[in-house]
Amino acid sequence: MTGTNTTDRGTDDKTIVRDYFNSTGFERWRRIYGTTAEVNKVQRDIRVGHQQTIDTVLAWLQADGVTTGQTICDVGCGVGSLSIPLAKSGARVFASDISEKMVGEAQARAQQELSNNSSVTFSVQDMDAIAGSYHTVICLDVLIHYPLADAVQTISRLAASSEERLILSFAPKTPLLTLLKKIGEFFPGPSKTTRAYQHTERDIVAALQAEGFAIRRQAMTSTRFYFSRVLEAVRERNA
């Protein structure tokens, strides 16, 4: 969009994301993040990759005993793939998503899977409107939808709500993955998804450091169609 500024672009991207996940994208990603066999090869691969990212984050938190009794904010919670296991582990979870349909699905799954679903609170909320203070703030597979300037602003807002730990994932920008994206093997076509933005690890780390966070752990999930870099950052005083 020639001549638009960063704010306009961010607003456009946000509208696209909201509309997509409240319409055609909802059923598609509901299947991917579920257990149904009604998925194609690409969707099944993405399901596997996404679950590996979830498992990595859960392992980090459980190894540190963070889940029991801690407050965790899951931003961009989708259908509850992370929020529900966190609640099962004893955390007090505050989960939000820009998509009303995604939140509705997450609530339905929580009612089915949790004996005490009061341990997790779901809300339809823009990630830039996150308020309050939490021990840990997590934002997985969300920054891919936004250009760098908006991603940096989001990191700043999320950092303000994190008392100790901030965990993010993003689509890494490397020469190989940029090439794969161009030839159509990185993400599904534009008719099936939102805009996909890649970010360099240097830029994301710089944004975290600017907010007083230091990288503690990092991991890479790589399948044929799913690539996600995960960073765990802690406040400098806890590093």
Side-chain angles (χ1 to χ4, degrees), residues 78-93:
V79 298
S81 302
L82 177 63
S83 299
I84 294 171
L86 286 173
K88 288 181 179 178
S89 297
R92 182 74 180 94
V93 183

Side-chain angles (χ1 to χ4, degrees), residues 62-234:
Q62 291 168 354
D64 293 348
V66 169
T67 53
T68 305
Q70 300 285 0
T71 55
I72 299 179
C73 183
D74 182 12
V75 182
C77 66
V79 298
S81 302
L82 177 63
S83 299
I84 294 171
L86 286 173
K88 288 181 179 178
S89 297
R92 182 74 180 94
V93 183
F94 299 85
S96 63
D97 198 279
I98 197 172
S99 166
E100 182 179 357
K101 285 194 172 182
M102 284 290 188
V103 169
E105 177 68 15
Q107 290 173 321
R109 293 188 183 190
Q111 290 176 353
Q112 293 178 347
E113 298 183 35
L114 296 174
S115 57
N116 176 18
N117 58 25
S118 64
S119 58
V120 57
T121 301
F122 292 101
S123 64
V124 180
Q125 193 171 29
D126 185 329
M127 62 184 178
D128 291 339
I130 299 299
S133 182
Y134 310 90
H135 177 273
T136 298
V137 176
I138 303 173
C139 185
L140 301 182
D141 291 350
V142 172
L143 298 183
I144 189 175
H145 300 300
Y146 300 98
L148 179 61
D150 297 297
V152 169
Q153 290 179 1
T154 295
I155 290 172
S156 177
R157 292 186 180 98
L158 299 182
S161 290
S162 173
E163 297 172 0
E164 296 188 22
R165 188 182 319 236
L166 179 55
I167 299 177
L168 305 170
S169 76
F170 59 96
K173 187 175 184 178
T174 66
L176 174 59
L177 295 182
T178 298
L179 176 62
L180 289 176
K181 182 175 184 290
K182 287 182 179 179
I183 64 178
E185 292 188 7
F186 189 14
F187 297 106
S191 64
K192 298 180 180 179
T193 188
T194 63
R195 297 168 180 165
Y197 295 95
Q198 297 167 271
H199 304 299
T200 66
E201 185 164 343
R202 179 185 64 253
D203 286 335
I204 300 301
V205 169
L208 289 164
Q209 291 175 336
E211 300 301 326
F213 283 78
I215 304 302
R216 182 177 180 187
R217 293 185 179 107
Q218 49 194 306
M220 179 72 191
T221 302
S222 178
T223 65
R224 184 175 179 185
F225 296 99
Y226 177 97
F227 300 87
S228 182
R229 187 69 166 160
V230 189
L231 300 179
E232 176 195 38
V234 295

Side-chain angles (χ1 to χ4, degrees), residues 51-61 218-221 230:
Q51 189 58 50
Q52 288 177 8
T53 296
I54 295 293
D55 291 343
T56 294
V57 172
L58 287 172
W60 286 349
L61 296 177
Q218 49 194 306
M220 179 72 191
T221 302
V230 189

